[in-house]
Amino acid sequence: MQAISEQEREAQFQAKIDRGEIIEAKDWMPERYRKQLIRMMSQHAHSEVVGMLPEGNWITRAPSLRRKAVLLAKVQDEGGHGLYIYCGTETLGISREQMLDDLLSGKAKYSSIFNYPTLTWADIGAIGWLVDGAAIINQTALAKCSYGPYARAMVRICKEENFHHKQGYEILATLMRGTAEQKAMAQDAMNRWWWPSLMMFGPSDANSPNSDELMRWKVKRYSNDELRTRFVDRTVPQAENIGLKVPDADLKYNEQTRSYEFGEINWEEFFNVIKGNGICNKERLMARKKAHAEGAWVREAAEAYAKKKATKNAAA
Ligand code: FAQ
């Protein structure tokens, strides 16, 4: 049988994608497809884990036992999401140790949004409603991506994110029914989290170097700007519904496109944050490094146990 060339293999791969078939871990894939998925999925997993920090900051200060229990469960869910996605990324041939080394050395990114501080209880509402809301829009699209292990992880994650979204909205709706001070606190959270939430979708399409390739491979099903607009269209009516004002003087509804037009995002701020110069970048990495160092004994114990079990099984 005649061996096929690399070019032919890539053409066959693309045809498979174009037919809407799903790529599984053991299927042949171009090296670049594998690398791009590792980049994107590991960054996503890191975002879930680093994303536990801003909300974790409020567990001890939640205003009631019910709020504390809900927040604890939410933060724990995010840790679980990180684990599913790390597992999914491992199917591409990278070890978890390598991914964590890349996060801790600053080589791998995590979402820009988690470099902003949580100053008041209303910020917890804003994260659930806006940040999880943005994540759902992005992840619902990823649930239809061409790589099976990633797509399947997204299905379960999106179900959980829907609860997170509702609990955040409920926190803000409650505050908006409260005292003038509580309303002001909710509006202040909205003012600080709105624009960074829009930035979560990545740079505008014209400045997104990875999009063309990822869309050709159906890893991304929609562009950054398309998903951002979808988020604005869904979220503005929700804000109005509870009396929150969207902090954008240029926001207007276009009757023809049946979509909102919104003001210019501060891209300088976005690029500054992803370069490591956001308000909390250093604090977040330090917290992860500390947790990793303090968890060394757990990893060692788990490894020793696994080795002992393997030796026992081999002897049996
Ligand atoms: N932050 O060419 P593109 C969550 C980087 S999960 C930091 O457009 P791409 C759940 C990008 O990596 C949130 N960096 O890139 C939760 C690239 O740099 P590189 C995370 C960003 O990959 C809720 C460069 O800019 N979700 O929130 C960001 O085609 C509450 C050029 O950009 C995911 O990761 C950013 N926002 O599109 C947890 C979803 N945007 O790597 C706790 C999966 C862009 O070449 C509490 N990822 N960059 O050095 C994606 O969908 C895509 O990777 C995008 C970026 C859309 C984020």
Side-chain angles (χ1 to χ4, degrees):
M1 211 169 70
Q2 211 186 358
I4 62 167
S5 72
E6 196 69 5
Q7 250 179 345
E8 282 167 321
R9 274 191 151 187
E10 286 199 14
Q12 283 176 3
F13 177 82
Q14 188 62 52
K16 204 171 162 183
I17 299 263
D18 294 343
R19 286 194 300 270
E21 286 176 35
I22 297 298
I23 308 300
E24 294 297 343
K26 288 187 176 154
D27 293 346
W28 183 88
M29 60 186 80
E31 191 51 20
R32 177 84 187 149
Y33 177 87
R34 196 178 71 84
K35 285 228 163 85
Q36 276 283 39
L37 272 171
I38 289 178
R39 176 189 69 84
M40 198 169 142
M41 290 173 70
S42 67
Q43 291 184 6
H44 191 168
H46 299 328
S47 304
E48 301 281 358
V49 171
V50 177
M52 296 166 81
L53 296 169
E55 285 174 294
N57 186 32
W58 276 87
I59 291 173
T60 54
R61 290 175 287 164
S64 69
L65 187 58
R66 179 171 88 92
R67 294 289 187 204
K68 193 193 285 276
V70 172
L71 183 59
L72 259 175
K74 182 199 188 286
V75 172
Q76 201 170 10
D77 282 353
E78 305 299 358
H81 298 174
L83 297 185
Y84 310 148
I85 309 173
Y86 280 129
C87 284
T89 319
E90 281 173 313
T91 65
L92 291 156
I94 183 169
S95 68
R96 187 147 337 173
E97 288 74 24
Q98 183 63 53
M99 287 186 263
L100 290 176
D101 282 352
D102 290 348
L103 169 70
L104 300 179
S105 70
K107 188 176 161 212
K109 292 188 170 71
Y110 58 86
S111 182
S112 51
I113 193 75
F114 302 118
N115 293 306
Y116 291 85
T118 38
L119 303 179
T120 69
W121 173 249
D123 289 13
I124 300 306
I127 292 186
W129 173 47
L130 295 174
V131 176
D132 283 273
I136 291 170
I137 303 261
N138 173 274
Q139 292 171 173
T140 308
L142 288 173
K144 296 194 191 92
C145 83
S146 59
Y147 189 55
Y150 196 18
R152 287 189 290 273
M154 285 304 115
V155 173
R156 173 159 178 189
I157 290 178
C158 283
K159 286 189 182 150
E160 293 181 354
E161 301 286 33
N162 270 310
F163 278 108
H164 301 169
H165 183 240
K166 288 197 179 95
Q167 68 84 37
Y169 192 57
E170 197 247 346
I171 289 176
L172 289 179
T174 305
L175 290 172
M176 290 305 286
R177 287 195 305 269
T179 62
E181 237 179 338
Q182 285 171 318
K183 286 181 190 166
M185 185 165 80
Q187 184 61 54
D188 172 61
M190 172 76 176
N191 295 348
R192 284 181 291 106
W193 289 91
W194 176 254
W195 291 105
S197 299
L198 297 195
M199 293 174 197
M200 283 176 72
F201 295 92
S204 61
D205 293 351
N207 292 310
S208 165
N210 298 297
S211 277
D212 283 351
E213 191 172 55
L214 290 174
M215 287 183 73
R216 178 159 49 81
W217 282 328
K218 295 191 182 167
V219 172
K220 274 177 146 176
R221 308 300 301 244
Y222 304 94
S223 76
N224 296 356
D225 286 333
E226 280 173 317
L227 292 181
R228 192 173 2 254
T229 302
R230 194 174 290 185
F231 171 72
V232 173
D233 287 345
R234 259 193 216 174
T235 312
V236 172
Q238 293 169 359
E240 286 168 353
N241 197 29
I242 56 172
L244 280 170
K245 202 173 165 322
V246 178
D248 179 355
D250 296 323
L251 185 78
K252 60 171 188 291
Y253 189 68
N254 183 325
E255 294 287 348
Q256 259 150 20
T257 59
R258 293 171 165 235
S259 184
Y260 280 92
E261 287 165 8
F262 47 93
E264 182 65 18
I265 290 171
N266 184 345
W267 292 117
E268 201 185 321
E269 174 181 321
F270 169 76
F271 285 112
N272 203 34
V273 173
I274 69 171
K275 264 192 240 140
N277 304 321
I279 308 172
C280 298
N281 293 60
K282 290 187 182 66
E283 192 184 314
R284 300 290 184 239
L285 259 195
M286 253 163 56
R288 284 312 314 155
K289 280 183 185 162
K290 184 166 177 279
H292 192 70
E294 287 173 359
W297 70 271
V298 180
R299 293 190 296 279
E300 280 159 23
E303 209 169 313
Y305 177 75
K307 263 190 200 149
K308 202 169 168 192
K309 211 170 161 196
T311 318
K312 213 170 148 191
N313 286 347

